[in-house]
């Protein structure tokens, strides 16, 4: 058991710098996820309304409309003339994630994320392999399918199966039926990720994530492997990353003249790579800080030589 | 098949079943009514994002979000009139709350709402049909004497009394469901049904002769033989001494 535990990402960092240093972004995300949920729950539980509605569409403090842009797009494709507040809400969400990183939604807001993380954690503990070799581009196929289906059927098609809004609605509107619906949706994603493919739903299939990824394809807030020269190839970041294909170009791009900023639209800014890295290679940055740094010491050359 | 493959298959099938079950377990339930101002059924699901803002702003908790198998797609707003009818708020807060236009903001007068229409379905159980003066549905109707009137008919059973039949007029009924809620029977004899279920639809080619005649101000066909109309309260046509009737031209 101890040998297995030692292989888990972040153990080395936790041993050196303490548990908190190896989990601070994870904690921040869990607090954010709980916080966003709490904004919707103060009303029904305490009678003090902050956010009303669900992640599909909401009204915060009676003034701020927010609407899921993928749903608005599907509605427009059915030929429906969207009301103004729905369009304004979608524009605000689009603008926010175009700056913050589209898939920041996935890691910091979406209620499915803790379920998917639980499945990934359990997989790591059980030593399960990757599972079914799903292609990560399947999510774009599902997104295209949802949009075509909306236009063809005249309904917002993805809402018939969307686990994101089903879970959130179940949690927010509450009651036994709500809890039951939320539980079965969460269980479905858990079973799929656990039994079929590692990071199966969020990392391969979810078209909502794909859509947010496209929104934030040119987003400003990014994670950068600024200190990549210090990397000792322990692979912890690859092991913990839900979208591991995004790391290598930035982390190992120095010799190819590629900058250290992770520019892939798939990166969800979850910050777990920052957490687990014992050499503190990663940190939050912006896409504008992506210069292949000439100050970086060349491969193999000891730093002390440059300093002297 | 190895054990891992079997487990993966079982988990996949379980996940799929859990996701699809709510969509598949749709039961036809005519009593699931849409909120006031809901756009036509065939376009509603292209507009409603199932956010629940209408239900949140309903002051009487009339509106609910459909759970799995409630007869409407999960998460869409509906109400069951027998449980909690629509109180027909004058400011229509549910419509104001809708961010998408699935509830049409063009509806500003709640009396123009058409959530459905009441239909007296229980002709064999309605107390008024049986000859009593229950009248409850008529009394609770927010549009009394317009949406529901009491029509006096002969009581065929006793031969000497009257029955007062609650009669719904679909051009006035909003479908609020207060009649269905108030019906004193164990199962309501009057129910609000979606308009598409409740009222038939005449073929577009039909013309009502009497309406056309009234609009034209005269009969539309010339030289038609006009037989005397023997109305109940009209005097009998006068017999001529030689047989036949006065003013009768064959």
């Amino acid at each position: 058991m101890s040998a297995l535990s030692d292989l888990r990402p972040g153990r080395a960092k936790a041993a050196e710098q303490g548990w908190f240093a190896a989990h601070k972004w994870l904690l921040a995300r869990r607090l954010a996820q709980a916080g966003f949920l709490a904004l919707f729950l103060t009303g029904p539980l305490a009678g003090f309304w902050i956010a009303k509605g669900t992640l599909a569409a909401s009204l915060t403090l009676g003034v701020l409309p927010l609407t899921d842009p993928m749903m608005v797009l599907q509605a427009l494709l059915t030929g429906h003339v969207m009301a103004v507040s729905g369009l304004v809400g979608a524009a605000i969400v689009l603008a926010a994630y175009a700056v913050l990183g589209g898939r920041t939604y996935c890691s910091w807001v979406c209620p499915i994320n803790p379920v998917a993380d639980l499945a990934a954690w359990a997989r790591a503990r059980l030593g399960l392999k990757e599972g079914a070799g799903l292609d990560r581009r399947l999510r774009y196929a599902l997104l295209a399918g949802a949009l075509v289906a909306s236009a063809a059927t005249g309904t917002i098609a993805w809402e018939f199966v969307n686990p994101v809004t089903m879970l959130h609605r179940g949690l927010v509107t509450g009651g036994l039926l709500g809890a039951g619906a939320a539980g079965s949706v969460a269980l479905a994603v858990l079973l799929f990720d656990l039994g079929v493919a590692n990071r199966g739903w969020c990392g391969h299939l979810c078209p909502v994530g794909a859509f947010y990824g496209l929104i934030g394809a040119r987003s400003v807030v990014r994670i950068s492997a600024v200190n990549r020269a210090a990397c000792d190839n322990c692979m912890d970041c690859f092991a913990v990353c839900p979208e591991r294909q995004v790391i290598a170009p930035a982390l190992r791009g120095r010799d190819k003249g590629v900058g250290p900023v992770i520019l892939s639209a798939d990166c969800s800014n979850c910050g777990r790579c920052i957490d687990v890295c014992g050499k503190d290679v990663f940190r939050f940055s912006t896409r504008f800080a992506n210069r292949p740094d000439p100050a970086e010491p060349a491969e193999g050359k000891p730093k002390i030589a440059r300093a002297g | 098949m190895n054990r891992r493959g079997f487990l993966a298959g079982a988990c996949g099938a379980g996940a799929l079943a859990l996701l699809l079950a709510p969509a598949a377990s749709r039961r036809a339930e005519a009593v699931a009514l849409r909120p006031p101002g809901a756009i036509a059924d065939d376009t509603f699901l292209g507009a409603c994002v199932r956010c629940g803002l209408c239900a949140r702003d309903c002051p009487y908790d009339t509106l609910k979000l459909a759970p799995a198998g409630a007869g409407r797609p999960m998460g869409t707003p509906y109400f069951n009139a027998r449980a909690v009818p629509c109180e027909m708020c004058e400011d229509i807060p549910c419509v104001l709350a809708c961010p998408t236009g699935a509830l049409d903001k063009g509806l500003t007068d709640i009396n123009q709402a058409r959530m459905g229409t009441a239909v007296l379905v229980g002709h064999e159980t309605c107390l008024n049909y049986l000859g009593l003066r229950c009248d409850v549905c008529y009394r609770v109707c927010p549009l009394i004497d317009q949406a529901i009137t009491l029509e006096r008919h002969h009581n065929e059973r006793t031969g000497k009394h009257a029955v007062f039949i609650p009669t719904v007029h679909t051009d006035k009924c909003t479908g609020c469901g207060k009649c269905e809620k108030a019906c004193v029977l164990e199962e309501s004899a009057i129910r609000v049904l979606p308009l598409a279920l409740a009222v038939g639809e005449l073929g577009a080619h039909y013309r009502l002769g009497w309406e056309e005649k009234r609009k034209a101000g005269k009969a539309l066909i010339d030289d038609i033989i006009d037989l005397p109309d023997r109305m109940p309260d009209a005097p009998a046509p006068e017999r001529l001494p030689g047989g036949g009737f006065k003013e009768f031209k064959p």
Side-chain angles (χ1 to χ4, degrees), chain A residues 191-217:
Chain A
L191 280 178
F192 182 76
D193 273 19
L194 205 54
V196 181
N198 188 27
R199 300 284 180 184
W201 185 260
C202 304
H204 297 79
L205 296 182
C206 180
V208 180
F211 189 84
Y212 275 98
L214 292 175
I215 293 173

Side-chain angles (χ1 to χ4, degrees), chain A residues 22-297:
Chain A
H23 295 86
K24 57 179 186 293
W25 288 107
L26 180 64
L27 279 175
R29 278 198 301 119
R30 293 290 177 259
L31 285 175
Q33 287 157 350
F36 283 117
L37 193 58
L39 293 180
F40 287 92
L41 285 174
T42 57
L45 296 182
F48 176 67
W49 291 94
I50 302 173
K52 217 184 244 188
T54 65
L55 289 179
S58 62
L59 187 66
T60 299
L61 296 173
V63 288
L64 174 69
L66 296 173
T67 321
D68 184 304
M70 181 186 159
M71 249 181 259
V72 170
L73 178 59
Q74 290 176 88
L76 292 176
L77 285 172
T78 71
H80 175 67
V81 182
M82 181 64 55
V84 176
S85 67
L87 291 173
V88 171
I92 294 172
V93 172
L94 280 173
Y97 287 112
V99 174
L100 292 174
R103 296 208 59 204
T104 303
Y105 173 84
C106 301
S107 275
W108 292 78
V109 181
C110 180
I112 292 288
N113 176 271
V115 180
D117 279 354
L118 175 65
W121 175 84
R123 265 185 167 270
R125 286 307 291 254
L126 297 171
L128 293 175
K129 297 264 175 3
E130 279 302 289
L134 298 175
D135 192 309
R136 286 187 188 268
R137 289 169 299 184
L138 268 174
R139 50 187 154 199
Y140 295 106
L142 277 176
L143 174 59
L147 297 180
V148 170
S150 293
T153 63
T155 64
I156 299 177
W158 189 247
E159 280 319 287
F160 287 96
V161 284
N162 189 357
V164 177
T165 46
M166 276 190 212
L167 177 57
H168 192 255
R169 196 167 52 234
L171 292 170
V172 167
T173 58
L176 269 180
L177 280 167
S184 67
V185 169
L187 189 61
V189 173
L190 188 70
L191 280 178
F192 182 76
D193 273 19
L194 205 54
V196 181
N198 188 27
R199 300 284 180 184
W201 185 260
C202 304
H204 297 79
L205 296 182
C206 180
V208 180
F211 189 84
Y212 275 98
L214 292 175
I215 293 173
R218 317 288 300 167
S219 68
V220 176
V221 177
R222 295 285 170 174
I223 286 174
S224 173
V226 274
N227 198 19
R228 57 186 171 181
C231 173
D232 63 357
N233 287 323
C234 74
M235 304 299 283
D236 272 8
C237 56
F238 287 96
V240 84
C241 181
E243 302 277 352
R244 64 190 56 160
Q245 73 280 9
V246 309
I247 295 179
L251 184 62
R252 304 209 167 132
R254 183 151 57 108
D255 297 336
K256 300 186 195 109
V258 176
V261 174
I262 294 173
L263 290 173
S264 169
D266 292 341
C267 173
S268 65
N269 282 347
C270 73
R272 284 297 280 149
C273 52
I274 307 176
D275 275 348
V276 299
C277 181
K279 302 294 178 192
D280 295 327
V281 167
F282 301 95
R283 65 175 169 81
F284 272 104
S285 179
T286 71
R287 70 180 305 113
F288 307 120
N290 196 25
R291 290 177 303 276
D293 194 349
E296 280 180 295

Side-chain angles (χ1 to χ4, degrees), chain B residues 44-59:
Chain B
F44 187 80
L45 291 178
C48 174
V49 297
R50 316 181 185 194
C51 66
L53 282 167
C54 53
R56 283 287 191 228
D57 279 2
C58 175

